[in-house]
């Protein structure tokens, strides 16, 4: 049975659940993608900065050779900040396609609205340890990304980590509408205003870190480590016979937000997919909405 999907402004369907691959490398990533596809996942999210596109490509090619059709899998990748110069956008996309073994991407996102100095050093710093940025407006990068759609290399383009005013600029001045805005979101960072804005503009929101990276140093540092132990989440999970993580993911899906939980553990990949046999009540949704405390894990230091 096909899992639920959301319609993009292009008319394409994007599965509401995908496999996130941030920090997943080499054989762990390769096995995770194959496991996910075997379990019914049809949406894989990656990026050049993750340095795993070749591993994902190997898994995809093996599954395609075994009978899975390319058009059945929704693949997202992202343009890194050192590739924002208009001359670098096409080569970056082509490199991702080559590594993935694909002719096109279903979705290509601008990873952040900040340009770093050009080159293969993903995190360029000066002699004082400060990030070296490029004096380039993201609309110049967006116009170069629009040409990828014209060339058939990306079925849709979008943004990531954009706020409302930045999105407004793209929507106002762009020739092609962003299909998606991918941002950090979990019950402690509900992004309610951003979601309301995206919905009004016909832009799909995707949530990364949808369970707030339990056990990570960042979760401890930024005050979200207790999310899966939150009394509201645990009480709702007990009521439905589900795990706290499944409740957090289901909350997003019922908001029509795409979720891309990351795992390389087969049991966890399976757990994250078991979301379509229960429904949260209006009271459940309201209670989770009230947990928002604007607690953010991911920052970009420009």
């Amino acid at each position: 049975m096909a899992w639920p999907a959301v319609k993009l402004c292009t008319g394409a369907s994007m599965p509401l659940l995908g496999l996130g691959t941030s920090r997943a490398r080499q054989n762990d990533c390769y096995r995770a993608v194959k496991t996910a596809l075997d379990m019914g996942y049809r949406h894989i999210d990656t990026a050049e900065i993750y340095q795993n596109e070749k591993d994902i490509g190997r898994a995809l090619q093996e599954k395609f050779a075994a009978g899975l059709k390319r058009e059945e899998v929704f693949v997202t990748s992202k343009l890194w900040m050192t590739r924002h110069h208009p001359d670098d956008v096409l080569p970056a996309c082509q490199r991702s396609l080559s590594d993935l073994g694909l002719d096109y991407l279903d979705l290509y996102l601008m990873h952040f609205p900040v340009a770093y100095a050009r080159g293969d050093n993903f995190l360029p710093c000066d002699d004082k340890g400060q990030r070296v940025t490029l004096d380039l407006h993201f609309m110049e990068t967006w116009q170069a990304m629009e040409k990828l759609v014209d060339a058939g290399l990306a079925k849709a383009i979008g943004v990531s980590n954009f706020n409302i005013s930045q999105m407004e600029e793209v929507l106002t001045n762009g020739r092609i509408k962003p299909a998606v805005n991918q941002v950090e979101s979990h019950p402690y960072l509900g992004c309610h205003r951003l979601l309301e804005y995206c919905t009004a503009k016909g832009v799909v929101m995707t949530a990364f870190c949808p369970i707030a990276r339990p056990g990570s140093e960042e979760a401890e540092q930024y005050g979200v480590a207790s999310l899966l132990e939150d009394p509201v989440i645990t009480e709702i999970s007990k009521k439905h016979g589900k795990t706290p993580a499944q409740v957090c993911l289901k909350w997003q899906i019922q908001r029509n937000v795409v979720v891309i939980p990351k795992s390389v553990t087969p049991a966890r990949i399976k757990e994250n997919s078991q979301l379509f046999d229960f429904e949260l009540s209006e009271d459940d949704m309201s209670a989770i909405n009230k947990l928002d405390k604007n607690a953010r894990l991911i920052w970009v230091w420009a």
Side-chain angles (χ1 to χ4, degrees):
M1 183 186 77
W3 293 348
V6 64
K7 282 281 188 191
L8 300 181
C9 59
T10 61
S13 293
M14 182 180 188
L16 275 162
L17 173 66
L19 178 73
T21 62
S22 172
R23 303 186 178 189
R25 300 284 181 82
Q26 299 178 338
N27 285 333
D28 283 346
C29 183
Y30 161 75
R31 286 191 291 264
V33 171
K34 288 196 73 175
T35 297
L37 292 171
D38 287 341
M39 289 180 180
Y41 284 73
R42 292 296 180 265
H43 175 186
I44 307 296
D45 182 275
T46 185
E48 181 185 14
I49 189 66
Y50 302 165
Q51 299 178 59
N52 59 18
E53 290 180 320
K54 288 183 179 178
D55 308 304
I56 293 170
R58 183 158 61 104
L60 287 172
Q61 296 315 309
E62 289 183 13
K63 296 305 294 181
F64 294 153
L68 183 65
K69 293 182 173 59
R70 166 65 185 97
E71 58 269 23
E72 294 176 333
V73 185
F74 192 100
V75 180
T76 300
S77 189
K78 308 178 194 77
L79 179 79
W80 185 238
M81 292 189 278
T82 55
R83 316 298 193 196
H84 274 219
H85 190 282
D87 291 346
D88 297 333
V89 172
L90 174 60
C93 181
Q94 289 173 325
R95 188 162 45 250
S96 287
L97 287 170
S98 176
D99 288 347
L100 290 163
L102 302 177
D103 295 325
Y104 66 89
L105 291 166
D106 296 277
L107 179 64
Y108 197 47
L109 304 177
M110 194 186 311
H111 211 146
F112 283 93
V114 178
Y116 281 172
R118 299 171 73 183
D120 292 329
N121 179 0
F122 288 149
L123 300 171
C125 291
D126 61 20
D127 54 8
K128 295 180 181 178
Q130 300 298 309
R131 291 276 182 255
V132 182
T133 57
L134 191 64
D135 185 15
L136 182 79
H137 195 279
F138 56 75
M139 280 310 303
E140 293 185 56
T141 308
W142 183 257
Q143 288 163 1
M145 290 179 65
E146 291 175 329
K147 294 176 182 176
L148 302 176
V149 178
D150 299 336
L153 299 180
K155 299 289 187 183
I157 52 175
V159 297
S160 183
N161 301 295
F162 272 53
N163 62 30
I164 289 174
S165 63
Q166 291 160 343
M167 284 192 65
E168 183 71 21
E169 194 151 358
V170 179
L171 285 162
T172 301
N173 300 314
R175 176 170 58 87
I176 295 178
K177 180 177 177 177
V180 168
N181 186 10
Q182 183 180 126
V183 296
E184 178 188 346
S185 179
H186 43 75
Y188 285 169
L189 183 66
C191 300
H192 299 290
R193 283 182 57 241
L194 180 62
L195 177 58
E196 183 179 356
Y197 176 85
C198 287
T199 301
K201 298 294 185 179
V203 178
V204 169
M205 194 170 104
T206 296
F208 68 80
C209 292
I211 54 176
R213 285 188 183 165
S216 70
E217 289 183 14
E218 302 101 317
E220 292 286 348
Q221 182 178 359
Y222 295 115
V224 298
S226 61
L227 174 62
L228 298 186
E229 298 165 1
D230 188 288
V232 171
I233 300 291
T234 56
E235 187 63 31
I236 293 171
S237 72
K238 289 174 186 174
K239 181 172 74 171
H240 292 281
K242 291 291 182 177
T243 67
Q246 288 169 326
V247 168
C248 292
L249 297 174
K250 185 67 173 185
W251 168 72
Q252 295 282 20
I253 284 174
Q254 286 189 209
R255 299 199 306 162
N256 223 29
V257 173
V258 176
V259 285
I260 47 170
K262 174 256 171 181
S263 181
V264 296
T265 307
R268 197 72 72 196
I269 294 170
K270 182 177 181 180
E271 177 189 320
N272 290 342
S273 74
Q274 295 172 328
L275 307 175
F276 307 115
D277 57 354
F278 76 108
E279 290 290 320
L280 299 177
S281 68
E282 288 187 16
D283 287 345
D284 294 337
M285 293 292 291
S286 177
I288 297 172
N289 287 342
K290 292 173 183 174
L291 295 178
D292 191 354
K293 53 184 181 180
N294 201 31
R296 186 178 303 278
L297 276 160
I298 306 301
W299 298 83
V300 56
W301 304 112

